[in-house]
């Protein structure tokens, strides 16, 4: 099963053994719609990496098995651009169903339209959307429209 090497887990934000949170940084795709001049991964072979939805879902039962019940889970979805995964919304749906109490977040360049954001929040109203602004692809009006939506 190749999908498990996609998961990197650990106490990334704290080394305090009393902290019950386990942070799972999950690289879900290498794809990114941008080719920013300053991106160190712009020409990387990682750009072609994208596990199937089935592989991502198949990793979840193993995670449930190995994570102690007293640990809070925090999933931090990475990429390239994690929301560029062809099955991002079904993946978040399954992740939320499998881990109803986990915190799920991603770092995104906001390339998707508002409809995508609305769908995402209909799946998980607590999704934490961290924004990375890329000025080579920046449209001020569109950016503020999306930020306004996220702020609500």
């Amino acid at each position: 099963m190749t999908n498990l090497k996609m998961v990197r887990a650990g106490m990334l934000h704290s080394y305090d053994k009393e902290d019950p949170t386990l942070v799972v940084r999950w690289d879900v795709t290498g794809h990114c719609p941008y080719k920013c001049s300053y991106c160190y991964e712009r020409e990387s072979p990682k750009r072609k990496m994208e596990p199937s939805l089935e592989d991502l879902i198949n990793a979840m039962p193993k995670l449930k098995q190995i994570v102690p019940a007293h640990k809070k889970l925090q999933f931090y979805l990475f990429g390239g651009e994690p929301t560029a995964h062809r099955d991002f919304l079904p993946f978040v749906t399954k992740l939320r169903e499998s881990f109803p109490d986990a915190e799920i977040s991603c770092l995104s360049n906001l390339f998707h339209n508002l409809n995508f954001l609305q769908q995402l929040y209909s799946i998980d109203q607590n999704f934490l959307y961290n924004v990375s602004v890329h000025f080579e692809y920046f449209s001020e009006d569109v950016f503020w429209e999306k930020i306004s939506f996220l702020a609500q």
Side-chain angles (χ1 to χ4, degrees):
M1 189 183 314
T2 60
N3 57 323
L4 288 181
K5 66 183 175 184
M6 301 300 300
V7 178
R8 297 182 188 132
M11 306 289 271
L12 299 180
H13 71 287
S14 171
Y15 291 98
D16 181 355
K17 294 187 190 246
E18 300 300 316
D19 185 350
T21 303
L22 178 69
V23 178
V24 177
R25 180 181 179 254
W26 200 336
D27 291 329
V28 297
T29 188
H31 292 275
C32 180
Y34 300 154
K35 289 195 180 272
C36 298
S37 61
Y38 51 84
C39 179
Y40 64 92
E41 291 186 341
R42 185 176 60 213
E43 303 301 325
S44 170
K46 178 185 173 191
R47 288 278 197 161
K48 294 178 174 74
M49 183 267 321
E50 183 165 280
S52 69
L53 178 59
E54 181 182 10
D55 280 344
L56 292 171
I57 290 171
N58 286 339
M60 293 179 202
K62 185 66 172 176
L63 277 170
K64 281 185 151 189
Q65 263 183 334
I66 62 175
V67 175
H70 69 280
K71 290 283 185 189
K72 290 182 353 193
L73 272 173
Q74 182 181 51
F75 289 98
Y76 199 64
L77 308 178
F78 265 78
E81 165 58 38
T83 66
H85 189 286
R86 66 185 171 273
D87 293 314
F88 186 79
L89 294 174
F91 171 60
V92 170
T93 300
K94 188 63 176 174
L95 193 59
R96 175 52 63 217
E97 289 170 1
S98 298
F99 301 94
D101 298 325
E103 181 180 289
I104 305 173
S105 65
C106 78
L107 177 63
S108 174
N109 58 32
L110 275 180
F111 84 97
H112 279 291
N113 61 30
L114 278 179
N115 184 49
F116 176 87
L117 295 174
Q118 290 166 338
Q119 289 178 52
L120 177 60
Y121 281 101
S122 72
I123 293 166
D124 183 358
Q125 64 185 3
N126 295 315
F127 192 92
L128 297 173
Y129 213 100
N130 299 289
V131 177
S132 175
V133 180
H134 299 268
F135 289 102
E136 291 179 54
Y137 297 91
F138 184 77
S139 167
E140 187 171 356
D141 293 341
V142 173
F143 174 78
W144 289 118
E145 180 183 35
K146 293 174 185 177
I147 292 296
S148 295
F149 173 81
L150 291 173
Q152 296 173 10

